[in-house]
Amino acid sequence: MEEKLNLNQLLQKPIAMMTGEELCFLITKSVESTEAAIPQVASKGNYYGIEGIARVFGCSVPTANRIKKSGIIDKAITQIGRKIVVDADLALALAKESGGIHIKE
């Protein structure tokens, strides 16, 4: 199928003139390129503050506060005064181990 469908030619062709096969091919190529460009929600590295915890777990700031206060991810948090640094990978691993935090994958 891909051999007879040239992507550049299809991009120039009006949608109303395409066959179903051609349209499906374009949609598939578009989804593949989009999936390759989207980074994971919690990539490796450090996040800062309560907002960082919220970003790692994909939750609200109040929920992130509850997660921090629960002590489950204490080993992943370094705090000096008001500055909070969160190791994302370690926080996710600790949360998964404990089973106390449900993570959407």
Side-chain angles (χ1 to χ4, degrees), residues 62-79:
T63 301
N65 259 322
R66 286 193 294 275
I67 291 170
K68 182 180 179 300
K69 288 181 182 180
S70 73
I72 292 172
I73 62 169
D74 279 353
K75 291 179 184 175
I77 296 174
T78 304
Q79 184 167 356

Side-chain angles (χ1 to χ4, degrees), residues 50 52-54 56-57 63-78 84-88 90-96 98 101 103:
I50 296 298
I53 295 172
V56 168
F57 289 101
T63 301
N65 259 322
R66 286 193 294 275
I67 291 170
K68 182 180 179 300
K69 288 181 182 180
S70 73
I72 292 172
I73 62 169
D74 279 353
K75 291 179 184 175
I77 296 174
T78 304
I84 298 171
V85 180
V86 182
D87 180 338
L90 183 56
L92 288 170
L94 290 169
K96 199 170 196 176
S98 75
I101 300 171
I103 303 168

